[in-house]
Amino acid sequence: MTPPALTRGSRHVESMMSASRRDAGVMASGQSVNLAVGEPDLAPPPAVVESLKRAVDAGHTHYVDLAGDEELRAAIAATESANWGRELSPANVQVTAGATAGIAAAILGTTSIGDRVVMPDPTYSLYADVVRLAGGIPVPVECLPNMHLDLAALAPALKGARAFVYCSPVNPTGVVYRREELEGVAGLLDPGTIVIDDGAYSSLVYEPHRYVPAAEIPSLAERTVYCQTFSKKFAMTGFRIGYLVAPEALLPPIAAVHRTFNGSVNAAVQKSALAALAMNTSFADLALRTYQRRIEFVRQAMESIPLLEAVPPEGAFYIFPKILTVHSSAETSRHLARHGVRVRSGGEFGFGGEGHLRISYAASEESLKIGFDRIKAAMELLG
């Protein structure tokens, strides 16, 4: 049977997907140790799980406000007001179906056909994919060798840009952008350029580094859309809940995209998110201590692998070693997969990631030990 002709819209989606650097196959496991996925191995806090059960029993099983549960939005506004040192209200908050839906809504709601959206390179590959889906033009700007922002390279790229989108701590490098870097970006923006700040890993920053949200920079406060999730801070990946915080003037088109694609977020899950916020930092502190402990193991393991070179991350739970062989990122990641350990090819995160691997230490200590033993053995075969 002859397949139906592609419509203009489907050709656009097909083109976008073929351009995507994201590897759809990394979830496969079999006998492999999976150090490819950015998912905490920690279980969600028991109080959160119990609150979800109670919410279902209490009848929170119906549609709710498309902007989000009123009580949850108020709690988010209070939390972020305390974090940023500025007064926010529920009108500044949109509850989202995870950070992915929030980021997608933020980009789709603010990007028109032909708009240029600037992003550091390497970075989370979802950003470029959604920009293309909106008909915009992703403009990656390669970072400095230490993976921090290259302000000299960003200056010409940001002229006339619709948006600057980034995450800090950075997926995949683990870098935490300094206040002076964000102030430098602020000085380069045109009046109509917005900032989309993905703070998914903001609770995972290692001393002496400090997380600085874009909205903390005075000149960015009224042009920033802040994206957050409960997935990393509270190990609630399967709950699929996050939120956006933005000035009231920016939020309506973004909220319209979210409700069009997602409707209202699961009512009972929103009650569990409220319970998570009530915990303050207790669980987040536990998670941070867990990953700090693992960094030392990862550092020692990396020192025993001469064909990989990396510096300790400043945040998140990824290490991004440089490959000291003639093999590409994709070739090396496939080689490791054949030897029983899955990692991400650095090239998935942009041209600046080529020649690197992204290794997640969100896996258990046992998985990390087995995985790094396999990485060491496999890399020796490439030497």
Side-chain angles (χ1 to χ4, degrees):
M1 179 182 294
T2 303
L6 291 171
T7 65
R8 182 179 182 277
S10 59
R11 281 199 302 270
H12 176 70
V13 172
E14 183 180 70
S15 173
M16 186 278 292
M17 294 309 296
S18 65
S20 175
R21 293 175 172 270
R22 307 184 85 193
D23 181 357
V26 297
M27 294 297 291
S29 55
Q31 297 301 311
S32 293
V33 171
N34 196 339
L35 304 184
V37 180
E39 178 170 22
D41 68 308
L42 304 172
V48 168
V49 176
E50 288 304 315
S51 72
L52 178 62
K53 295 176 183 177
R54 288 196 303 271
V56 173
D57 290 340
H60 294 287
T61 56
H62 300 281
Y63 293 141
V64 294
D65 190 320
L66 290 168
D69 179 278
E70 184 176 354
E71 191 179 7
L72 176 58
R73 289 167 64 216
I76 291 169
T79 297
E80 295 301 343
S81 294
N83 288 343
W84 296 1
R86 56 189 292 252
E87 192 65 31
L88 298 168
S89 77
N92 297 114
V93 178
Q94 169 69 50
V95 179
T96 63
T100 303
I103 292 164
I107 294 174
L108 291 170
T110 58
T111 304
S112 299
I113 293 174
D115 281 349
R116 297 168 59 256
V117 178
V118 178
M119 59 200 70
D121 182 353
T123 196
Y124 185 29
S125 55
L126 175 69
Y127 308 146
D129 288 351
V130 180
V131 171
R132 293 189 191 96
L133 189 60
I137 303 167
V139 182
V141 176
E142 194 164 347
C143 290
L144 296 168
N146 66 0
M147 295 299 174
H148 281 267
L149 297 177
D150 186 339
L151 295 176
L154 280 170
L158 285 169
K159 290 187 181 302
R162 174 57 181 139
F164 175 65
V165 56
Y166 76 99
C167 54
S168 177
V170 180
N171 175 10
T173 65
V175 159
V176 177
Y177 294 142
R178 311 290 190 259
R179 183 183 181 90
E180 54 266 29
E181 291 177 85
L182 298 179
E183 289 174 335
V185 168
L188 298 173
L189 299 182
D190 285 353
T193 306
I194 67 168
V195 174
I196 300 176
D197 173 2
D198 178 359
Y201 299 92
S202 60
S203 64
L204 299 174
V205 176
Y206 310 121
E207 292 184 352
H209 307 289
R210 176 180 174 267
Y211 170 69
V212 179
E216 191 176 293
I217 309 302
S219 62
L220 298 182
E222 292 306 314
R223 62 166 78 195
T224 293
V225 180
Y226 178 68
C227 308
Q228 190 51 270
T229 178
F230 288 81
S231 292
K232 314 302 181 184
K233 187 174 183 178
F234 298 103
M236 294 168 62
T237 53
F239 288 60
R240 307 314 306 138
I241 186 163
Y243 58 86
L244 301 173
V245 178
E248 288 187 55
L250 285 179
L251 203 50
I254 297 170
V257 170
H258 188 271
R259 67 174 176 257
T260 299
F261 281 90
N262 300 281
S264 61
V265 176
N266 183 300
V269 165
Q270 292 195 62
K271 294 300 183 184
S272 70
L274 190 61
L277 287 179
M279 297 181 66
N280 260 327
T281 64
S282 57
F283 186 82
D285 291 345
L286 168 65
L288 183 62
R289 290 194 301 271
T290 298
Y291 300 128
Q292 284 177 317
R293 185 173 65 247
R294 291 176 186 175
I295 286 176
E296 182 58 25
F297 169 82
V298 170
R299 184 189 65 78
Q300 293 180 12
M302 289 297 303
E303 288 178 352
S304 72
I305 307 173
L307 293 180
L308 294 178
E309 180 180 81
V311 295
E314 300 167 352
F317 41 57
Y318 306 114
I319 194 163
F320 200 61
K322 185 176 182 180
I323 304 164
L324 304 181
T325 74
V326 298
H327 300 281
S328 71
S329 294
E331 290 169 340
T332 305
S333 64
R334 288 195 294 268
H335 172 73
L336 294 178
R338 289 193 293 269
H339 288 80
V341 58
R342 288 186 169 272
V343 302
R344 290 267 198 178
S345 163
E348 291 180 38
F349 302 91
F351 293 107
E354 179 52 50
H356 293 76
L357 300 171
R358 192 196 77 173
I359 304 174
S360 169
Y361 53 91
S364 69
E365 280 85 349
E366 180 183 6
S367 293
L368 287 173
K369 184 178 187 314
I370 296 170
F372 273 93
D373 284 347
R374 292 179 181 181
I375 291 172
K376 180 179 180 180
M379 292 303 297
E380 287 174 352
L381 296 176
L382 293 179

